[in-house]
Amino acid sequence: MARHLNLVQSDFEQLEKIVFPRFPFCYLTFKCDEYDTHVFEVKDISQTGMQLALKNGEHQMNAEKLINGTVNWQGISIDVSAEVKWTTEKRLGVEFTHKPSHRESVNEFLSIQNFAKSLKPVHKMEFDFDLPVKLKYWLRSDGPVEVFVWQHSDGELSQFEVLMMENYIQWKDGQGLKTARIMSKRDIDTPLITEDEFVIKVDETIDDSKIDLACTLISHIKEDLLGQQCCDFIKMKLGI
């Protein structure tokens, strides 16, 4: 947990860098109609747009380019139109078009109910990577949602975090609740670790709308994913 939090302060805002383990596979993908040989991983998604990553090869897209394609996610798909806002060699950020019908489809696709039923218990999976010692539960729904639950050495719960698109909700033993907006996310790859580093902007006061999102998500999670006791604990701390 020593690397888990790193506070960065300025005169204008309070930012924190948070490091989480990264799941080695992504099932949320985007296939562009114009470049049908490219399948992008969706690294981040919200109601307004996506951050895409190409593992193999290089894309030929420039800023302001209009693109069409399909987002696929565990048997669900949605056709989207978007404008490229920024690019790097392997990544690009796109903003969805503003058509009401299109936005309505995206919002339905990104519903909390879809997130909840797609959550998988990473802590129970057998993969060739080590989980942090004090990480008790890790639920993941590809790009949009992750839930982390940490424990003290004696097994008592010490902290939980809900990441839902750009929203961050945390409860920590001795500190209580905190909410923030996720500002950026980048991969950290070394020969020994594979992690994600998030930069969050901490809310000056608790954002009730973010708490409400977390409450709705937790209320829809199957209790066998976290266990009855853990579910009840999280609900209590969120005020459900």
Side-chain angles (χ1 to χ4, degrees):
M1 287 287 288
R3 301 183 66 249
H4 188 58
L5 292 177
N6 179 23
L7 185 63
V8 181
Q9 290 183 314
S10 73
D11 294 335
F12 304 101
E13 58 188 15
Q14 179 175 312
L15 303 178
E16 290 182 9
K17 289 183 180 179
I18 307 177
V19 177
F20 290 108
R22 187 195 319 152
F23 189 68
F25 306 106
C26 179
Y27 303 105
L28 182 63
T29 63
F30 172 74
K31 189 172 184 180
C32 182
D33 292 345
E34 186 173 348
Y35 303 100
D36 58 2
T37 58
H38 292 342
V39 177
F40 293 87
E41 288 188 1
V42 180
K43 304 298 289 186
D44 192 16
I45 188 169
S46 70
Q47 283 89 355
T48 57
M50 303 182 291
Q51 181 183 153
L52 308 174
L54 189 63
K55 279 198 169 183
N56 301 311
E58 298 180 13
H59 64 80
Q60 292 81 41
M61 300 187 197
N62 300 314
E64 299 184 1
K65 181 177 179 61
L66 297 177
I67 60 173
N68 298 291
T70 304
V71 178
N72 295 288
W73 184 29
Q74 302 187 71
I76 307 172
S77 63
I78 181 174
D79 295 329
V80 299
S81 300
E83 180 182 356
V84 178
K85 290 298 184 179
W86 56 264
T87 67
T88 64
E89 183 178 314
K90 297 285 187 180
R91 294 200 179 203
L92 62 152
V94 304
E95 181 180 22
F96 296 132
T97 58
H98 296 279
K99 294 179 181 178
S101 59
H102 182 260
R103 285 296 177 91
E104 186 176 329
S105 299
V106 171
N107 290 342
E108 182 178 350
F109 181 79
L110 297 177
S111 69
I112 292 178
Q113 290 78 8
N114 273 346
F115 294 158
K117 71 181 182 182
S118 300
L119 286 168
K120 298 292 187 291
V122 180
H123 56 279
K124 292 183 179 180
M125 297 179 182
E126 295 183 3
F127 289 103
D128 188 22
F129 67 95
D130 296 325
L131 297 179
V133 175
K134 294 184 180 180
L135 181 59
K136 185 174 179 64
Y137 298 108
W138 176 9
L139 305 183
R140 186 175 188 276
S141 185
D142 292 304
V145 173
E146 293 188 270
V147 178
F148 295 90
V149 181
W150 306 83
Q151 61 184 346
H152 291 296
S153 299
D154 62 3
E156 293 294 320
L157 298 185
S158 63
Q159 182 172 326
F160 65 79
E161 289 140 316
V162 177
L163 288 72
M164 190 184 309
M165 294 182 286
E166 72 272 19
N167 302 295
Y168 174 84
I169 301 94
Q170 178 202 72
W171 174 87
K172 189 172 184 179
D173 190 15
Q175 297 183 15
L177 286 170
K178 174 170 65 180
T179 60
R181 180 184 177 191
I182 298 173
M183 306 300 292
S184 65
K185 173 183 175 182
R186 73 180 183 95
D187 300 341
I188 303 176
D189 292 312
T190 74
L192 298 178
I193 61 171
T194 302
E195 297 175 323
D196 285 326
E197 180 185 84
F198 294 80
V199 174
I200 63 172
K201 181 179 179 182
V202 180
D203 297 324
E204 291 185 9
T205 58
I206 298 296
D207 186 336
D208 290 336
S209 65
K210 292 185 178 72
I211 298 296
D212 289 344
L213 287 173
C215 289
T216 304
L217 177 71
I218 297 300
S219 296
H220 281 85
I221 292 177
K222 296 179 181 178
E223 289 181 349
D224 61 333
L225 293 179
L226 291 175
Q228 179 74 49
Q229 187 175 0
C230 182
C231 281
D232 290 345
F233 181 86
I234 293 175
K235 289 177 180 178
M236 178 182 66
K237 295 302 180 182
L238 290 174
I240 300 177

